[in-house]
Amino acid sequence: MSPVTVGLIGIGVLVLTFLIGMPVGFAMAFVGMAGFCLLVSPDAGLSLLARDFFANLSAYSLTVIPMFIFMGSIAYASGMSRRLYEAGYTVFGQMRGGLAMATIAACAGFAAMCGSTNATAAAMGRVALPEMKRYNYNDSLATGCVAAAGSLGILIPPSTIFIIYGIMTEQSIGKLFIAGVLPGILLAGLFITVVVILCKRNPNLAPGGLPTTFKQKLAGLAGVIEMMILFALVIGGLFLGWFSPTQAGAAGAFGALLIGLARRQLTWKGFLFAVKDTLRITCMVMIIVTGAIIFGHFMAVAKLPLVLSEWVGGLPLPPMAIMGVIVLLYLLGGCFMDALALITLTVPIIYPVVLVLGFDPIWFGVIIVLVTEMGVITPPVGLNVYVIKGVAEDVPLETIFKGVLPFLAALLVAVGILMAFPQIATFLPGLALY
Amino acid sequence: MSGKLERLERFVDSFSNWLNWVAGVGLVAILALTVADIFGIKLAQAGVPFFRPIPGGIEVVAFLGVVVTAFAIAYTQILRGHIRVEFVVMRLPPRAQAYIAAFIWLLSFILFALLAWQSFEYGLSLQAKGTVSMTQRIPFYPFVHAIAFCCIPVCLALALECFKSVRKAVKG
């Protein structure tokens, strides 16, 4: 059997192990090790397992992951998500669909402190959903908008997906972070537009809330200011070359800790919750990344990325059409696979193709994040939808998936806009001072 | 039999929880060290006396990365925190689900048993070669052995899952 055939069989076996419910990180490590044993030697495959585990777990570049997750967890434990929502409410609250708009704006704000889609959805869902219920918002709109806006968590920096993409493709994490800012604002705007359109078509979906006083608006501003300080510290520090990514994450986590203590909102119990939450998410992410690295080594000896990039590079199609097909494949893959697993599994295979086609790696990172955002809300494996289901237990899953659909259309529009105007993603990284 | 199993399960739970707190200490240590390093670097650059970067700070943080993940694997498994695709299996009858669960936990057990064995061997080879970090000359092998050690509760938790699934499948 040729190495390429073994590689293709390996992918088939991996998908099968995913479908029977083996944890995705374990499955990638297992199949990757077995494939390496087969193609190189049993000794080499077994030794690869231990070496890759140690190399990844002890990689300084990967310690950025727990730091940014810690920052988000502390921000949540310090009540920052609630204060951001209250700020959003003072601006949009009295408008029709205003609470949904406030939720999207608050998600965008929380995304500036948190790098995960499900953490953003969970944090804002716990705050926003009871409020929208109180004002008789349509369940589908309320849950759909939090699930979709929660996905902004990985587009607006910091972002675990940008970190993982940056490490896998050796691109600057700082530049990737900065590249996500404008597309993040664009997407938040598109999500708000979706709410406006939906409410125009059916005013009963989302009644307006009570007006707020100037004093309340001023008080709401405090929630935005603390978010802006953290964002400026972390992203500004990266932008100006003050911090390495790990240092930026640590500075952000420390800043969130200080804000929580200064506001007397972070209790010892809240801090311990943040530690445990960070460990669980970090461990889950690190095991998937390590599994993907082992699987990537198997793919490399199977020569699959090389063969694929040569084949795609020779296709008589314009690069943008091939990119369209890649995005479509990601969209389909995202329906059936966990988004993080999909990215870690496919980036080593697809990335050489993207380079051959002449696309900007930073721009492709933003596209990857957008398709990942779709993956976390598309049925049947949309993780964010399950997170929201965990918060709104009385709402059927189908209702949430239905509510997510208009926002999915907005995500597709965003991908289209970014394909037509790549400068939206590449403009800011071009200004970085390093 | 079931009493013994419950006792073993309680032991694995509390052992994993304890290891998870070790990972927690590692996490807070990374934060503290990195922040201290930032202050050390920036204040030393500004000419403030007595401030300097932490020697080998990056190396220590990297090794603490091993502690944060490896010591948390077992507890994350107990919390079912490792992401799985469940929508296909959920549609199957309970007995078929139990057989499949027994199979996947067996595969996972084999993976971590191999990882424990290979990490132990790798640690021994690093110890024999005397491999140390560049600036602080911290030996690598204790951290590789730590991974091997942390695989023990993971294997126990996975074996228990596998056993419970087999029992469920047989009883129907």
Side-chain angles (χ1 to χ4, degrees):
Chain A
M1 245 189 307
S2 74
V4 173
T5 316
V6 175
L8 288 172
I9 294 172
I11 290 177
V13 173
L14 184 69
V15 171
L16 193 71
T17 52
F18 281 170
L19 292 180
I20 61 170
M22 189 167 178
V24 293
F26 299 0
M28 286 194 279
F30 194 94
V31 178
M33 172 199 66
F36 207 88
C37 284
L38 212 65
L39 283 180
V40 184
S41 76
D43 277 351
L46 289 171
S47 134
L48 176 87
L49 181 69
R51 281 164 201 271
D52 272 357
F53 249 89
F54 177 66
N56 272 291
L57 267 45
S58 64
Y60 177 73
S61 58
L62 286 173
T63 52
V64 61
I65 294 174
M67 286 301 98
F68 275 114
I69 295 174
F70 205 18
M71 173 180 163
S73 295
I74 295 174
Y76 173 72
S78 308
M80 289 187 196
S81 49
R82 172 166 291 281
R83 290 195 289 280
L84 275 171
Y85 179 74
E86 281 161 6
Y89 181 85
T90 60
V91 179
F92 297 107
Q94 62 271 42
M95 293 159 73
R96 224 173 255 291
L99 292 184
M101 294 179 207
T103 305
I104 293 164
C107 276
F110 195 68
M113 298 181 287
C114 174
S116 133
T117 63
N118 41 5
T120 306
M124 294 316 304
R126 285 177 206 142
V127 180
L129 285 174
E131 288 297 309
M132 288 197 265
K133 203 166 185 65
R134 197 153 68 89
Y135 282 93
N136 285 325
Y137 267 52
N138 173 279
D139 278 345
S140 192
L141 173 67
T143 51
C145 96
V146 194
S151 76
L152 286 168
I154 51 168
L155 183 58
I156 296 175
S159 152
T160 42
I161 298 291
F162 275 143
I163 293 170
I164 289 163
Y165 176 83
I167 289 165
M168 296 189 100
T169 59
E170 295 180 347
Q171 290 299 316
S172 153
I173 292 172
K175 285 190 177 172
L176 283 163
F177 274 9
I178 297 153
V181 175
L182 293 180
I185 295 168
L186 168 78
L187 187 58
L190 286 173
F191 282 162
I192 288 178
T193 311
V194 167
V195 175
V196 172
I197 295 171
L198 289 176
C199 291
K200 262 221 155 69
R201 282 176 53 188
N202 183 0
N204 295 330
L205 280 180
L210 296 171
T212 47
T213 61
F214 179 72
K215 203 176 159 193
Q216 281 172 308
K217 283 187 174 44
L218 213 61
L221 207 62
V224 180
I225 289 172
E226 63 192 23
M227 179 272 287
M228 296 293 275
I229 292 172
L230 266 188
F231 187 77
L233 174 73
V234 172
I235 307 303
L238 273 172
F239 195 74
L240 297 171
W242 288 354
F243 299 140
S244 72
T246 301
Q247 287 176 334
F254 188 63
L257 194 71
L258 288 184
I259 291 172
L261 291 174
R263 279 187 153 268
R264 297 174 185 272
Q265 296 276 332
L266 184 65
T267 58
W268 177 243
K269 207 173 149 192
F271 178 72
L272 292 183
F273 164 83
V275 169
K276 279 183 102 166
D277 197 45
T278 305
L279 289 174
R280 182 180 54 78
I281 302 171
T282 300
C283 182
M284 178 268 283
V285 172
M286 289 295 288
I287 293 293
I288 291 180
V289 172
T290 306
I293 299 271
I294 296 172
F295 192 80
H297 283 146
F298 163 46
M299 287 290 104
V301 291
K303 298 193 174 74
L304 216 59
L306 188 73
V307 172
L308 185 72
S309 58
E310 277 176 4
W311 178 71
V312 175
L315 282 177
L317 285 170
M320 242 344 155
I322 298 173
M323 183 52 72
V325 175
I326 292 175
V327 169
L328 194 70
L329 287 176
Y330 268 108
L331 185 58
L332 286 176
C335 290
F336 299 100
M337 257 177 84
D338 168 62
L340 182 59
L342 182 68
I343 298 306
T344 48
L345 179 68
T346 53
V347 162
I349 303 170
I350 298 287
Y351 185 66
V353 176
V354 172
L355 291 185
V356 166
L357 294 174
F359 287 108
D360 184 304
I362 299 279
W363 170 84
F364 184 64
V366 176
I367 294 288
I368 279 285
V369 164
L370 282 170
V371 290
T372 308
E373 286 191 67
M374 294 183 202
V376 296
I377 54 172
T378 42
V381 199
L383 198 63
N384 265 21
V385 172
Y386 291 95
V387 168
I388 293 303
K389 170 76 184 156
V391 182
E393 286 172 8
D394 55 326
V395 182
L397 263 183
E398 294 77 16
T399 308
I400 312 176
F401 276 123
K402 211 177 108 196
V404 147
L405 283 179
F407 298 99
L408 190 63
L411 267 164
L412 279 169
V413 170
V415 172
I417 294 175
L418 272 176
M419 282 175 122
F421 306 102
Q423 301 85 345
I424 299 171
T426 54
F427 170 66
L428 283 182
L431 299 178
L433 295 179
Y434 57 94
Chain B
M1 182 67 189
S2 130
K4 274 183 186 164
L5 204 68
E6 273 171 23
R7 270 212 301 280
L8 179 64
E9 200 167 3
R10 272 205 301 276
F11 166 74
V12 174
D13 281 6
S14 63
F15 186 35
S16 306
N17 191 20
W18 185 80
L19 290 184
N20 200 51
W21 285 119
V22 177
V25 172
L27 176 73
V28 176
I30 291 182
L31 176 63
L33 259 175
T34 311
V35 171
D37 205 25
I38 295 172
F39 277 110
I41 295 167
K42 302 296 170 198
L43 293 175
Q45 280 171 353
V48 181
F50 308 116
F51 280 94
R52 62 191 184 108
I54 294 173
I58 289 181
E59 286 172 358
V60 180
V61 166
F63 285 129
L64 285 170
V66 178
V67 177
V68 168
T69 305
F71 283 75
I73 302 175
Y75 194 68
T76 307
Q77 170 60 28
I78 287 167
L79 294 179
R80 294 287 177 100
H82 295 293
I83 289 202
R84 299 166 59 198
V85 179
E86 288 171 291
F87 75 98
V88 180
V89 180
M90 266 162 49
R91 281 155 214 270
L92 298 175
R95 198 163 188 174
Q97 282 189 30
Y99 274 117
I100 290 175
F103 179 64
I104 59 162
W105 296 130
L106 176 68
L107 285 187
S108 307
F109 172 82
I110 294 171
L111 175 75
F112 279 93
L114 288 173
L115 179 62
W117 168 43
Q118 286 299 310
S119 296
F120 182 65
E121 296 267 327
Y122 181 40
L124 287 181
S125 77
L126 288 173
Q127 191 175 4
K129 279 187 229 158
T131 313
V132 292
S133 66
M134 301 255 280
T135 47
Q136 286 301 298
R137 311 201 61 76
I138 303 167
F140 279 31
Y141 75 89
F143 297 94
V144 184
H145 284 321
I147 295 177
F149 172 71
C150 290
C151 287
I152 297 170
V154 183
C155 284
L156 285 173
L158 291 167
L160 275 169
E161 286 282 3
C162 183
F163 183 77
K164 281 193 281 185
S165 302
V166 169
R167 199 164 60 172
K168 204 169 156 189
V170 172
K171 281 187 181 168

